[in-house]
């Protein structure tokens, strides 16, 4: 029960800060205080507004906010989010664009399950929508999943990806962003061993830790600095009674957020200090750059304890993917058996999360894949976020990936009358 008490205590602190912000804003905005020309009330109201917004966003899943997409017919078409396959721990969703011609490129974006929702890839989705039929893995917040649904570890994640690929078919081009890179690779290898005819048409790995030891960063080297017992004791808690997943052991999103923020504490502190100043001066806007970023960054989700611990143990500590020793349901996901799936690796020169070389290691593991089906790109000056959502993605990487997809696009089967 003490792990549940800790979980509830963190939520209590978050809720208290949200309440304090709302109270400060309401008190400082009291009309009678306008008679007193004291800037302290403006600053108090600004602090309250920024604080309330920040702490309230931590427990809200952001919307996709993909209202429309422009097409070659000169019209703006609405974008509808439809669920293709619903499962307890994550859904396969499609961004449907009614009224436009179906795109030849079918893309499955594999979103990270690392604390943030799949909406973190919103700008990636938006950039691909005009040219592709876009699907994405929409992972669920573990605190909302009843214990009766069972466990979800790194093998279950792999099986989910294999099922999603099977559902979409072999003409699907898979793009795995960051954390799911190694899992997407072994899911493809698992299909090569169990059902080779439904392997994806191509595989794009963006900044994934295929071999964390190839060029260790502070993030990927974390697994070597701590023992599994330490992680279980300090990171794992039980969901409280106010959620459907009561009793489920999780790595809480709020705890993950504390880790995210601590890595760049000074930067985040300055960002919020500047935003309070802008709010007090009447210069802040609901959708300004600060709010757009932090509305997404602060929205965190719990992940199951077994997924977090098995990922650290198997991907980072034991390097099962890097050693080509990963098993799924007793089946060896032998990466060398991937023989006809084109693979491109994309890395950022200044990526401080999955450093250059970690993702590139995938190509050395693909011993059964011809050289002409392998490709790699190192984006100069790009950090981790930039290789899938920033200018580097939009201007350089996206065109490169689409060209790679087109080069290896499978011809459509001829229709029979």
């Amino acid at each position: 029960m003490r792990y549940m008490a800790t979980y509830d205590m963190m939520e209590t602190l978050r809720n208290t800060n949200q309440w304090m912000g709302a109270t400060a804003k309401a008190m400082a905005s009291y009309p009678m205080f306008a008679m007193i020309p004291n800037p302290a009330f403006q600053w108090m109201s600004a602090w309250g507004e920024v604080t309330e917004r920040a702490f309230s966003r931590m427990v809200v899943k952001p919307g996709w906010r993909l209202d429309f997409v422009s097409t070659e017919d000169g019209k703006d078409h609405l974008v509808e989010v439809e669920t293709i396959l619903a499962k307890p721990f994550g859904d396969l969703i499609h961004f449907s664009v009614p009224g436009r011609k179906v795109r030849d490129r079918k893309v499955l974006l594999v979103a990270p399950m690392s604390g943030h929702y799949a909406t973190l890839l919103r700008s990636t989705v938006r950039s691909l929508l005009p040219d592709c039929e876009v699907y994405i893995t929409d992972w669920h917040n573990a605190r909302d999943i009843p214990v009766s649904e069972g466990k979800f570890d790194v093998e279950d994640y792999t099986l989910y990806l294999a099922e999603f690929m099977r559902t979409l078919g072999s003409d699907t081009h898979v793009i795995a962003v960051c954390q799911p890179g190694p899992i997407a690779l072994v899911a493809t290898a698992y299909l090569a061993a169990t059902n080779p005819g439904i392997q994806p048409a191509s595989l794009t790995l963006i900044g994934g830790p295929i071999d964390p030891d190839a060029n260790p960063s502070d993030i990927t080297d974390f697994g070597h600095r701590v023992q599994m017992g330490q992680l279980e004791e300090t990171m794992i808690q039980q969901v409280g009674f106010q959620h459907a997943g009561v009793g489920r052991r999780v790595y809480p999103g709020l705890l993950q957020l504390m880790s995210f923020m601590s890595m760049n504490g000074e930067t985040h502190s300055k960002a919020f200090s500047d935003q309070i100043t802008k709010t007090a001066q009447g210069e802040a806007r609901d959708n300004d750059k600060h709010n757009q970023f932090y509305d997404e960054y602060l929205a965190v989700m719990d992940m199951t304890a077994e997924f977090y611990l098995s990922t650290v143990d198997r991907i980072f500590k034991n390097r099962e993917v890097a050693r080509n020793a990963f098993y799924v349901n007793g089946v060896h996901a032998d990466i060398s058996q991937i023989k006809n799936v084109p693979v491109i690796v994309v890395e950022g020169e200044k990526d401080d999360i999955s450093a250059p070389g970690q993702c590139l290691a995938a190509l050395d593991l693909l011993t059964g894949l011809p050289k002409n089906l392998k490709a790699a790109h190192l984006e100069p000056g790009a950090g981790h976020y930039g290789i899938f959502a920033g200018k580097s993605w939009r201007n350089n990487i996206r065109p490169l990936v689409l060209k790679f997809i087109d080069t290896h696009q499978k011809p459509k089967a001829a229709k029979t009358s």
Side-chain angles (χ1 to χ4, degrees):
M1 290 295 291
R2 70 187 180 95
Y3 295 109
M4 190 178 293
T6 307
Y7 188 95
D8 286 338
M9 179 60 71
M10 284 202 310
E11 174 58 21
T12 299
L13 291 173
R14 185 209 63 78
N15 190 276
T16 300
N17 279 282
Q18 180 182 342
W19 170 80
M20 288 175 62
T23 303
K25 179 183 177 182
M27 289 181 60
S29 302
Y30 191 61
M32 293 297 292
F33 290 152
M35 299 173 61
I36 308 172
N38 190 331
F41 291 114
Q42 289 178 294
W43 286 94
M44 181 178 177
S45 176
W47 176 87
E49 181 177 335
V50 173
T51 300
E52 179 192 14
R53 181 169 186 141
F55 283 92
S56 64
R57 291 300 185 271
M58 295 177 186
V59 291
V60 177
K61 180 179 180 178
W64 282 103
R65 301 197 301 273
L66 299 168
D67 300 324
F68 63 87
V69 59
S70 299
T71 58
E72 67 279 356
D73 60 8
K75 299 178 181 179
D76 291 337
H77 292 264
L78 295 177
V79 178
E80 297 179 356
V81 180
E82 58 179 8
T83 301
I84 303 300
L85 183 62
K87 296 181 70 65
F89 293 90
D91 297 339
L92 173 62
I93 64 175
H94 174 225
F95 298 97
S96 175
V97 185
R100 79 164 186 184
K101 181 181 177 182
V102 176
R103 295 301 189 249
D104 291 334
R105 303 184 186 102
K106 183 193 293 184
V107 170
L108 170 60
L109 273 174
V110 184
M113 183 187 279
S114 56
H116 288 102
Y117 291 95
T119 52
L120 187 69
L121 301 184
R122 182 187 298 105
S123 60
T124 315
V125 172
R126 182 180 288 115
S127 70
L128 292 172
L129 267 178
D131 305 296
C132 309
E133 292 297 324
V134 183
Y135 299 78
I136 197 169
T137 57
D138 190 22
W139 305 113
H140 297 167
N141 194 335
R143 74 178 186 186
D144 299 325
I145 306 171
V147 175
S148 59
E149 294 292 353
K151 70 173 182 65
F152 186 80
D153 60 16
V154 71
E155 280 194 37
D156 296 312
Y157 188 117
T158 307
L159 291 172
Y160 265 50
L161 287 192
E163 185 174 358
F164 291 162
M165 293 179 192
R166 185 181 300 111
T167 299
L168 293 179
S170 61
D171 59 341
T172 305
H173 300 271
V174 176
I175 301 177
V177 178
C178 187
Q179 170 259 340
I183 310 177
L185 184 63
V186 296
T188 304
Y190 175 76
L191 290 177
T194 59
N195 199 340
I198 58 172
Q199 293 176 90
S202 73
L203 181 60
T204 300
L205 304 175
I206 301 179
I210 307 299
D211 183 2
D213 285 359
N215 184 11
S217 66
D218 288 341
I219 302 297
T220 56
D221 197 43
F222 175 72
H224 292 300
R225 300 196 304 267
V226 296
Q227 300 297 317
M228 294 304 299
Q230 288 178 283
L231 287 180
E232 190 163 6
E233 184 69 21
T234 58
M235 300 296 185
I236 304 305
Q237 299 174 9
Q238 281 183 290
V239 176
F241 283 96
Q242 72 271 38
H243 302 293
V246 55
R248 180 176 290 279
R249 297 173 71 244
V250 297
Y251 179 22
L254 291 178
L255 195 57
Q256 297 173 63
L257 182 60
M258 292 170 59
S259 300
F260 298 154
M261 300 288 280
S262 65
M263 289 191 296
N264 294 287
E266 291 185 10
T267 301
H268 292 303
S269 295
K270 186 178 186 304
F272 278 96
S273 177
D274 290 346
Q275 184 69 1
I276 291 171
T277 300
K278 290 180 180 178
T279 303
Q281 295 173 346
E283 298 174 358
R285 297 293 181 268
D286 185 59
N287 288 315
D288 60 21
K289 187 175 180 180
H290 174 94
N291 285 328
Q292 282 187 342
F293 176 78
Y294 281 102
D295 282 356
E296 195 71 50
Y297 188 80
L298 296 176
V300 288
M301 57 182 284
D302 299 350
M303 70 175 77
T304 64
E306 56 272 16
F307 175 75
Y308 172 66
L309 295 174
S310 62
T311 298
V312 173
D313 185 42
R314 299 183 63 175
I315 304 297
F316 293 95
K317 276 186 169 295
N318 293 325
R319 298 173 55 250
E320 291 183 22
V321 176
R323 296 187 295 107
N324 196 19
F326 197 93
Y327 281 76
V328 183
N329 269 0
V331 176
H332 181 205
D334 187 354
I335 299 170
S336 67
Q337 293 305 304
I338 300 175
K339 298 181 178 180
N340 56 4
V341 179
V343 177
I344 183 172
V345 169
V346 177
E347 297 181 313
E349 181 185 27
K350 296 185 178 180
D351 192 336
D352 58 352
I353 293 180
S354 184
Q358 293 187 13
C359 197
L360 188 63
L363 299 185
D364 291 333
L365 294 171
L366 292 161
T367 55
L369 193 65
K371 288 185 177 180
N372 66 312
L373 297 183
K374 300 180 186 180
H377 174 73
L378 179 64
E379 181 66 18
H384 187 72
Y385 189 78
I387 57 177
F388 64 87
K391 290 182 179 179
S392 293
W393 162 260
R394 293 192 303 271
N395 298 335
N396 302 325
I397 299 172
R398 174 186 168 278
L400 179 73
V401 171
L402 291 181
K403 182 178 180 181
F404 183 80
I405 288 174
D406 289 342
T407 300
H408 301 287
Q409 182 85 316
K410 291 184 178 180
K412 287 188 175 181
K415 291 184 179 180
T416 56
S417 54

